Amino acid sequence: MDDVNIDNDNNNNDDVEEQQLQHEEAATDQEQERIVTTSRHLKINSVLKRKETFPLRTRNKVDVLVQEFLNKLEDDIHDMLCDNGEYDDEYRGLDCNRDTEEEVEAIVLLFPDVLTRKNQIREYQDVDAYDYDEDEEDPFDVREFYPIQSLAVKCVGFYKDFVSNVKAVSFIPLLARLAIKLDLFEEEERGGLLCQGGGNKIVYNHYNVLENLMHSDLTYRSDDACKREHHEAVDDKYLQVLIQLRKIGLLKKEDIQKYNLILKLCGEYGHFSEKRFRFLIEWDPNALLISPNFNGSRPTIQRFQTVFESGIRYFPKKKGINLLFGAGHNLHFHKSGAGNRYYPFERACTGIGYEQVMKVVEDTLIRYLDTPINVADALLSAAVDENVHLDCVYFLLRRQPDVLVKLLSSSSSASSPTTSTLVDATAAGTNDNDNHSINNVNSGDLIIRKRKRG
């Protein structure tokens, strides 16, 4: 037994000695390479310094080689800023874990033209195999982007899908600031932040940098923990960029609505970026109230709860609750090709389930008991607004059944047009209560109540 232990100790000692020897050899090789490189640099400096003492042919050759060197170096810098490789050994772009802002600024100041030089990406487009004529049609579409646009998203794969560029996105404020300092773009383009992407045809991604900072990756990974970690990293990185741009005045409050940033953030089919959403809504709560033609993404509990809770928080009297049932708001509204309207409540019930949706709604309202809803105003608004689903009327009446009596009694001296409209709208639904009750809404079979118009 002792002999076996002695042999094991000897083997372990031999392994340790071998590893130490390898480390020493590697250190020696690195030092030798450093010495050789330094010697080359010194020799090049000496050649350039003494060039005028050389024969004519040598002087001309030095000029040619210097120009070639500068051209290749500039090309490589541009490639680094626009790298669209995967995050593996092939990726040679900027990396915030390796490169510093000081290093990037130093090289850009020497080669400023790289910031206004576009990068071309050939993306395969779907072409009908039966109609395709290779002599007349090109199956590829050429997209062109400035380097600052490539820092927000990367085009990867054969079809050039857009994914988040987590390693390089943090350099966007620096490049924008340098471009403004060097006067490389028009003033209204803000250092390239507002330049649009483009191609030969109508392409999916024609957004500017601010819009691309709303990007979220698809849930393409199989491990849930890995997905969460990745999406949280994306949300954190992109949020920090938005904060920096705001601090230096390159992200303005009016940009949120002008470029529909909330719409694009909620419309991503990937992970819902809650941190970026809260940052933008806290800055401009009115962005919740815009009503675009929103082709909504897949509903999730997190997305629905966060947006509805924000509506109640910032607009507790009536608009917040109407967001739940209003057509065109940011809770997942979209309008189909046939012209049918899908309301947030309806779409959420379809995608998530009626019981879960109602639990989110009730739990949210309970958390905001200190800012109670003005049921009367909300009810009147829901009754007369054609963009608010009639389910809103039923929902409010169920929560406060006596509100209608109070409204009628308060206007007993004269029936106002608004109250009359409320009575008509409520009666229209009540007369057909068996078929149109909000209780009939469930996750698999939604009944859409249509307003009667005179």
Side-chain angles (χ1 to χ4, degrees):
M1 188 67 179
D2 292 340
D3 293 339
V4 173
N5 291 334
I6 293 174
D7 291 339
N8 289 335
D9 291 340
N10 291 333
N11 291 333
N12 291 335
N13 291 333
D14 291 341
D15 292 339
V16 171
E17 291 177 359
E18 183 176 354
Q19 292 176 1
Q20 290 177 344
L21 181 61
Q22 291 175 352
H23 289 318
E24 291 174 359
E25 291 177 350
T28 301
D29 292 341
Q30 292 176 359
E31 179 62 20
Q32 185 63 32
E33 180 65 25
R34 188 191 67 79
I35 294 173
V36 171
T37 300
T38 301
S39 177
R40 290 171 182 163
H41 292 171
L42 292 174
K43 190 169 186 177
I44 289 176
N45 290 336
S46 179
V47 167
L48 295 176
K49 186 176 181 179
R50 300 174 58 188
K51 188 195 75 168
E52 296 304 324
T53 65
F54 299 159
L56 177 62
R57 171 174 171 169
T58 305
R59 296 200 304 269
N60 291 339
K61 188 63 175 179
V62 169
D63 291 338
V64 170
L65 293 176
V66 167
Q67 186 61 51
E68 182 180 348
F69 165 76
L70 293 175
N71 290 340
K72 288 185 176 181
L73 182 57
E74 182 171 343
D75 289 344
D76 186 72
I77 295 169
H78 185 262
D79 291 343
M80 175 183 67
L81 297 177
C82 300
D83 189 277
N84 285 290
E86 301 282 359
Y87 285 146
D88 53 24
D89 293 339
E90 296 181 359
Y91 179 75
R92 296 182 298 275
L94 289 178
D95 188 343
C96 62
N97 297 318
R98 177 197 63 215
D99 306 313
T100 67
E101 290 193 0
E102 290 76 13
E103 293 170 346
V104 176
E105 181 173 359
I107 196 64
V108 168
L109 289 176
L110 283 175
F111 296 91
D113 290 343
V114 296
L115 297 185
T116 56
R117 177 176 160 190
K118 290 185 177 181
N119 179 44
Q120 291 190 343
I121 300 174
R122 290 173 59 82
E123 179 213 17
Y124 183 81
Q125 58 181 337
D126 292 329
V127 178
D128 193 326
Y130 297 99
D131 298 332
Y132 173 65
D133 186 346
E134 63 180 2
D135 295 331
E136 298 181 0
E137 295 188 62
D138 186 354
F140 290 90
D141 179 36
V142 178
R143 303 186 185 189
E144 295 183 336
F145 299 97
Y146 290 111
I148 195 171
Q149 293 172 296
S150 299
L151 298 184
V153 291
K154 301 193 300 114
C155 302
V156 299
F158 184 72
Y159 287 92
K160 298 303 179 186
D161 295 323
F162 284 89
V163 299
S164 300
N165 197 354
V166 182
K167 291 187 176 182
V169 69
S170 60
F171 292 99
I172 286 177
L174 171 65
L175 261 61
R177 179 173 59 80
L178 291 176
I180 292 174
K181 176 181 178 180
L182 298 170
D183 197 23
L184 299 177
F185 292 92
E186 298 296 331
E187 182 179 355
E188 61 272 14
E189 292 174 325
R190 291 189 211 163
L193 289 176
L194 301 183
C195 293
Q196 301 290 325
N200 295 335
K201 306 184 188 313
I202 298 176
V203 295
Y204 167 74
N205 191 288
H206 59 277
Y207 299 143
N208 61 42
V209 175
L210 298 184
E211 293 170 309
N212 278 333
L213 286 173
M214 302 300 109
H215 182 75
S216 299
D217 286 336
L218 295 174
T219 53
Y220 58 91
R221 305 187 184 195
S222 58
D223 180 67
D224 289 339
C226 184
K227 284 191 294 188
R228 285 195 302 271
E229 182 179 349
H230 172 75
H231 291 312
E232 288 175 0
V234 171
D235 202 10
D236 287 336
K237 285 282 188 181
Y238 281 52
L239 172 62
Q240 292 305 314
V241 173
L242 293 173
I243 292 174
Q244 289 184 48
L245 291 175
R246 178 180 177 179
K247 286 182 178 179
I248 61 179
L250 296 182
L251 174 63
K252 305 178 186 297
K253 182 178 180 179
E254 55 266 27
D255 294 333
I256 299 175
Q257 294 192 43
K258 182 176 181 179
Y259 299 107
N260 290 325
L261 300 186
I262 295 296
L263 163 67
K264 292 178 174 62
L265 190 65
C266 292
E268 286 288 327
Y269 279 82
H271 177 78
F272 176 57
S273 304
E274 183 174 344
K275 295 177 182 177
R276 277 175 281 172
F277 175 85
R278 294 190 183 279
F279 167 76
L280 294 174
I281 289 301
E282 287 176 4
W283 194 6
D284 183 16
N286 287 322
L288 279 171
L289 304 179
I290 61 175
S291 302
N293 183 6
F294 181 24
N295 202 354
S297 61
R298 183 174 59 249
T300 65
I301 286 290
Q302 180 197 20
R303 191 191 310 262
F304 181 83
Q305 178 177 339
T306 302
V307 182
F308 176 58
E309 180 180 323
S310 297
I312 296 298
R313 176 183 176 187
Y314 292 106
F315 304 98
K317 291 186 177 181
K318 62 178 181 179
K319 292 181 181 179
I321 191 66
N322 287 348
L323 279 172
L324 178 62
F325 299 95
H329 294 293
N330 285 327
L331 283 175
H332 313 304
F333 166 75
H334 78 278
K335 190 173 182 179
S336 69
N340 296 321
R341 289 185 174 186
Y342 291 85
Y343 297 80
F345 177 79
E346 172 196 354
R347 181 160 172 76
C349 287
T350 301
I352 302 171
Y354 172 75
E355 292 184 359
Q356 293 189 67
V357 169
M358 289 307 301
K359 185 177 186 307
V360 169
V361 172
E362 295 294 345
D363 289 347
T364 301
L365 294 178
I366 290 173
R367 284 198 301 273
Y368 285 86
L369 285 177
D370 293 339
T371 55
I373 300 170
N374 189 325
V375 176
D377 285 352
L379 189 61
L380 288 171
S381 176
V384 301
D385 189 348
E386 64 178 1
N387 289 321
V388 178
H389 199 286
L390 199 56
D391 275 337
C392 187
V393 175
Y394 286 88
F395 176 81
L396 293 169
L397 286 175
R398 282 164 56 86
R399 290 189 62 82
Q400 192 170 328
D402 61 342
V403 66
L404 189 56
V405 176
K406 293 179 180 179
L407 283 172
L408 292 174
S409 62
S410 65
S411 59
S412 58
S413 59
S415 178
S416 66
T418 303
T419 306
S420 298
T421 304
L422 171 62
V423 174
D424 293 340
T426 308
T430 307
N431 290 337
D432 195 18
N433 190 53
D434 290 340
N435 293 327
H436 297 298
S437 170
I438 195 172
N439 289 324
N440 287 334
V441 181
N442 56 57
S443 60
D445 184 20
L446 282 170
I447 299 173
I448 304 175
R449 226 180 269 88
K450 298 190 180 292
R451 291 182 176 276
K452 293 187 177 181
R453 297 295 177 191

